[in-house]
Amino acid sequence: RPGGRLLVIDMARHGREEYRQQMGHVWLGFEPGQLDAWLAQAGFEHARVHPLPPPSGAKGPALFALAARRAANGRRGARNHK
């Protein structure tokens, strides 16, 4: 809905191919630029990505929090389904 907020917590881009087999991951993390493009197409604006500090002894990929707001006018960007 217009003005709604979105919060995403996920992994930053990484090269751990074994995660596909071990944990069924389809995506090996995300790049902020790609997320910005997808969110803009879905009608979100003011996206901000914040790296999350790893816990002591963490061995996995870095995590991030992304916050965005749905455009007040509810308009979506152009979609390209190829």
Side-chain angles (χ1 to χ4, degrees):
R1 80 175 190 223
R5 295 175 189 231
L6 173 71
L7 175 65
V8 174
I9 308 290
D10 213 320
M11 288 185 233
R13 172 67 73 195
H14 61 85
R16 297 185 178 198
E17 285 288 333
E18 67 273 15
Y19 281 19
R20 293 185 193 277
Q21 187 69 16
Q22 293 172 352
M23 295 182 258
H25 287 201
V26 174
W27 301 90
L28 295 179
F30 297 94
E31 292 285 344
Q34 182 63 62
L35 293 169
D36 284 341
W38 288 340
L39 289 169
Q41 288 178 347
F44 285 87
E45 56 191 11
H46 307 298
R48 294 182 315 260
V49 175
H50 304 279
L52 298 175
S56 178
K59 296 181 182 179
L63 300 177
F64 66 85
L66 177 144
R69 183 184 303 253
R70 188 74 183 263
N73 62 13
R75 295 182 60 193
R76 292 183 179 189
R79 288 187 165 191
N80 186 2
H81 295 286
K82 287 189 178 180

